[in-house]
Amino acid sequence: MTGIVVNDVSKAFGDFRAVDDVSLTVPDGSLTALLGPSGSGKSTLLRMIAGLEEPGAGQIVIGGSDVTNTPARKREIGFVFQHYAAFKHMTVYDNVAFGLKIRRAEKARIRERVDELLRLVHLEAYARRYPSQLSGGQRQRMALARALAVEPRVLLLDEPFGALDATVRKDLRAWLRRLHEEVHVTTILVTHDQEEAMEVAEQIVVMNDGRVEQVGSPRELYEAPANEFVASFVGPVTRLDGSLLRPHDVDVRIDPVEGGVEAQVQRVIHLGFEVRVELLAGDGRLLWAQLTREEAEELELLEGQIVYARANRRMAVAG
């Protein structure tokens, strides 16, 4: 059964069209990312799927049922926000159990389900602590467990790791991927972080100005972007001789080479296992190449040096 289908959905706030005639399908049991800059409409679309905003036009189908006019509480959805809104006066255990208690589940079932989820999110040792006694990453894992407690058919995540530092976000991305492989609940993740989307999601929906620019797998979007916006948003790009390229597809040579563009080395930046080389072409255009550490050591590049840059592979940008 298809997980979520959005048909020709639009939403305006006054004269501002936040979502403009959007259609997409989220397969049952998949993890899809809505990716785009601030103001692209991704959170508004998520809130309409959740029932927290009413579409101005269009249809939303979840699990084969038209829920366009169904209240949020009846959509069987788990929702996790960037700010987890924990009940500060409740323990971790009681926070996770809250939804089950509201639904008057049996005590034995509540205990079984909460214990299961705390193990799943690696918080079983923190069950009797309060949210203020947890780290940011632990509180977000608690929020996910609370959303999953009622066994929703859809899990919606709105920038869930946005308030956390980079190291914690990276750890939680890997953890979320593993969690999804265990629970297989249909999930939509809203993010403006392309690395996060590409690491976690099976399908990415790139949005801009309220519209869908492209839908595809991380590899499809990276290697065959539909347009320049998608190309630049899902990964680094540079322009060489009129073409958009990924920086790792730029060869740098000391001697003139066929098809090479003469350029001057502006900076050589060592980033651990890779080296970023910033170049100034003869026409005044800045471009950059991404080299391996071994390639950079062999070239022995210096600032001010004249080199020759050439594309070794070009992107298939559709438009």
Side-chain angles (χ1 to χ4, degrees), residues 236-240 243-247 249-250 311 313-315:
V237 293
T238 192
R239 190 177 292 275
L240 176 61
S243 298
L244 278 183
L245 304 171
R246 299 297 181 198
D249 291 329
V250 176
R313 183 168 181 255
R314 298 181 187 273
M315 278 192 295

Side-chain angles (χ1 to χ4, degrees), residues 61-195:
V61 176
I62 298 177
S65 300
D66 186 343
V67 299
T68 311
N69 299 309
T70 302
R73 66 182 182 277
K74 295 184 178 180
R75 295 194 185 190
E76 299 179 62
I77 282 174
F79 206 118
V80 179
F81 298 89
Q82 178 176 334
H83 301 287
Y84 14 81
F87 298 112
K88 297 178 182 179
H89 65 289
M90 293 184 185
T91 63
V92 169
Y93 183 98
D94 289 333
N95 263 280
V96 176
F98 180 78
L100 293 168
K101 290 178 178 178
I102 289 295
R103 287 164 175 78
R104 301 184 183 278
E106 294 182 0
K107 289 183 178 180
R109 173 56 182 155
I110 293 175
R111 185 166 53 251
E112 177 186 17
R113 180 64 174 159
V114 174
D115 287 345
E116 174 191 2
L117 284 167
L118 290 179
R119 286 193 299 272
L120 191 64
V121 302
H122 308 301
L123 289 177
E124 60 268 40
Y126 301 85
R128 299 303 167 193
R129 294 195 185 185
Y130 290 88
S132 61
Q133 297 172 303
L134 302 179
S135 68
Q138 289 168 337
R139 286 196 293 270
Q140 200 57 289
R141 297 207 310 266
M142 179 194 71
L144 281 161
R146 186 174 63 186
L148 290 168
V150 296
E151 300 181 272
R153 54 180 174 175
V154 170
L155 179 63
L156 304 179
L157 312 174
D158 192 2
E159 301 271 11
F161 310 139
L164 304 172
D165 66 56
T167 301
V168 176
R169 285 204 309 271
K170 190 170 183 64
D171 289 344
L172 282 178
R173 289 202 297 264
W175 173 83
L176 177 62
R177 184 69 252 177
R178 292 193 300 270
L179 177 69
H180 184 263
E181 289 170 356
E182 293 192 43
V183 298
H184 291 294
V185 62
T186 305
T187 301
I188 299 179
L189 166 72
V190 163
T191 181
H192 63 268
D193 184 329
Q194 58 90 9
E195 182 178 338

